[in-house]
Amino acid sequence: MSLLVVITDDHPVVRSGYKRLLSLESDIEVITEFDNGEDTYNWFQDHAADVLIMDISMPGVGGLETLKRLRAKKINTKIIMLSMHDNPTLIQQALDFGANGFLSKSSEPDELINAISYVMNDEVVISKDLQGLLGANDGALHEQLSAREFGILLKLAEGVSAKDIAAQFHLSPKTIYNYQTQIYKKLAIENGAQLTQYAIQNKLLKSN
């Protein structure tokens, strides 16, 4: 019987690539795909899959918050997070929220295939090139942020306006400004320029 897999990534080319890769495996079937966390979360309320492969950074509800919400609903699907970030805080947060694996998007194709096999055997998988990062950011200020705050931090650091963030997260602009105030306080910064500088220094932004 085939393993049922769901793919969530906001880039169609990435989804297509993973789907094509997994289609080469006789015991794996990609049953659906999504480009955002909200639709992924909603789908799992009425459906089931063996493995969810999900990007950590997406517009709107990101991968971390979707992961947290799925686990809060006792969704036991094995979840492998994908990321362009090489930041230890992201890895640790994903594991803390219940991820079964964390892979770099630069990983070799067979690493994803192997990861699916490992997580189905209740093993935790981290990309070889990321394993040495765990513990590297111990004590970083952004570790105290909630998943929602961290997601908003990333959007602000990328230059997304509070109005657009509010639309993506289905919140009011006032709520986003309140989150922004709390983020500034927790990171001991005073403005957007300092926030962007902090994100760059701590390797929180995607590499181009």
Side-chain angles (χ1 to χ4, degrees), residues 60-84:
V61 179
L64 275 181
E65 186 160 347
T66 302
L67 166 65
K68 188 175 182 180
R69 291 172 64 187
L70 288 172
R71 291 310 190 215
K73 284 291 187 178
K74 308 300 182 184
I75 304 298
N76 294 321
T77 297
K78 305 297 185 183
I79 301 177
I80 299 173
M81 304 301 294
L82 301 172
S83 180
M84 294 177 65

Side-chain angles (χ1 to χ4, degrees), residues 124-192:
V124 175
V125 181
I126 300 174
S127 287
K128 296 175 183 177
D129 57 336
L130 298 178
Q131 291 174 2
L133 295 177
L134 285 179
N137 251 13
D138 286 349
L141 292 175
H142 57 269
E143 290 185 351
Q144 62 188 303
L145 300 179
S146 67
R148 173 60 61 85
E149 288 171 338
F150 190 79
I152 292 173
L153 159 65
L154 294 179
K155 297 297 182 184
L156 290 170
E158 291 169 358
V160 182
S161 70
K163 181 179 179 181
D164 288 341
I165 296 173
Q168 291 177 4
F169 282 82
H170 305 294
L171 298 171
S172 70
K174 181 179 179 180
T175 299
I176 298 300
Y177 285 123
N178 288 338
Y179 273 117
Q180 180 176 301
T181 299
Q182 290 302 313
I183 291 168
Y184 283 7
K185 182 178 180 180
K186 291 181 179 181
L187 299 185
I189 58 177
E190 298 179 352
N191 54 53

